[in-house]
Amino acid sequence: MSDQPAFQTPAIVLTGACVSVQGRTILRDITLTLTDPRIGIIGRNGSGKTTLLRLIAGLVEPSAGQVRVGALNPAKDRKGLLAQVGILFQNPDHQILFPTVIEELTFGLTQQGLTAAQADARAMAQLTAEGRAAWRDVPCHHLSQGQRQYLCLMAVLLMQPQTILLDEPLAGLDLPTQTRLNRRFAALPQRLITISHDPAAMKACSRVIWLEGGAVRQDGAAEAVLDAFQTEMARLGGADADTDLAP
C-alpha cells in the first residue's frame, strides 16, 4: 500500500550547525546535505544522534549555523514543516498526547487544517486499511508497547511527510513486532533517516553517517562506514571503553 503519491523530496541541509545546552556542546559543526532515500546515523550512546534528529525536526534550534528543509527553517516554521518532516521517537509514550487512538490520529490532521469530520474520516480510513479499525476508541494505554509504536507511525503517516525520522524505532520490541515494523518501513515511499547504535538497524541504508562526540567522524557508503564503526567498537570493547567519558 502506498501512503501518498510520488513526490520530489527536498534536501535537508545543515551548515556548521551546533547545539549547546548550559555551556555543554552536544553537536558541533555539523555540515551535511541529506538527499538519499535511506540514510542511517550511527554512534554510541551520547554521541548526539537524537539531538541531530530533533534539530532537523525543529524541536531544538541550532546555537550556531543553520538548518534548512528545502526553503524552510525547521525551528521557525513548525506548521509548514508538518508536511515535510515527521518523527517517530524511541519511546511511544513520549509521543502520544491523547487518551484514545482516534484522538491521537486526528490531532495532527486538524493542525493541518482539516475539519474534525474530515480528520475522523481520514483516520478511520487509515485504521481500516491497516486492519485496525477496532482500535478506534481504545485507550492508548491499553495497547502494548509495539502497538503504541505502530499507532505513532500511523499518526505520522497520516500527515504525509516527505521525510520520516526514526529514533531507535525497534528498541525494546519483541522480534515479531520488529519484523512487522521493518516490513512497513521498507514499503514506505518517504525518505527515512534512522538513528541507532546497532549496525544491524542500518541494513536498508545506502548511506551512513557516524557521529562521535557530537561531530561527524565518517560519512559515506553504508558498508564502508559500518565496517569502520564495528572495528572501532571492537577495539574499544577490548579495552576500557568508557575511560574516554571520565571527567
Side-chain angles (χ1 to χ4, degrees), residues 21 42-43 47 50 80 83 85 92 95 136 150 171 176 192 195-196 209 211 222 233 237 243 245 247:
V21 178
I42 201 161
S47 62
T50 295
V85 175
Q95 191 154 354
R136 177 191 168 89
Y150 207 95
L192 300 184
I195 69 169
S196 182
I209 299 158
L211 286 187
M233 295 307 103
T243 55
L245 304 179

Side-chain angles (χ1 to χ4, degrees), residues 1-152:
M1 183 183 72
S2 176
D3 293 280
Q4 66 179 51
F7 47 69
Q8 194 68 30
T9 306
I12 298 170
V13 180
L14 299 94
T15 307
C18 304
V19 174
S20 297
V21 178
Q22 296 180 339
R24 175 173 171 259
T25 299
I26 300 174
L27 292 176
R28 53 189 174 89
D29 196 26
I30 303 292
T31 297
L32 296 167
T33 298
L34 306 177
T35 58
D36 308 70
R38 295 292 186 266
I39 300 170
I41 300 173
I42 201 161
R44 290 188 288 168
N45 292 339
S47 62
K49 303 186 302 297
T50 295
T51 300
L52 178 55
L53 283 201
R54 290 174 64 85
L55 190 64
I56 294 169
L59 300 176
V60 297
E61 291 192 63
S63 307
Q66 70 174 21
V67 182
R68 293 291 183 271
V69 177
L72 295 178
N73 179 337
K76 301 297 186 184
D77 191 356
R78 292 283 300 129
K79 188 170 184 179
L81 197 70
L82 292 176
Q84 299 291 345
V85 175
I87 185 168
L88 189 67
F89 292 110
Q90 176 179 346
N91 185 341
D93 296 332
H94 294 167
Q95 191 154 354
I96 292 171
L97 299 174
F98 293 92
T100 67
V101 167
I102 193 66
E103 290 173 291
E104 186 65 28
L105 292 177
T106 56
F107 173 70
L109 295 172
T110 58
Q111 293 295 296
Q112 286 186 314
L114 272 66
T115 67
Q118 289 170 331
D120 188 283
R122 186 175 294 182
M124 277 309 302
Q126 179 82 9
L127 283 169
T128 301
E130 300 277 358
R132 290 166 172 81
W135 285 17
R136 177 191 168 89
D137 296 312
V138 172
C140 295
H141 69 273
H142 286 186
L143 301 176
S144 70
Q145 181 178 346
Q147 290 171 329
R148 294 196 303 277
Q149 188 74 307
Y150 207 95
L151 169 61
C152 291

Side-chain angles (χ1 to χ4, degrees), residues 180-201:
R180 284 194 293 271
L181 280 171
N182 270 328
R183 185 171 63 245
R184 195 72 177 85
F185 294 149
L188 293 175
Q190 286 92 342
R191 175 193 294 138
L192 300 184
I193 300 177
T194 304
I195 69 169
S196 182
H197 62 274
D198 180 6

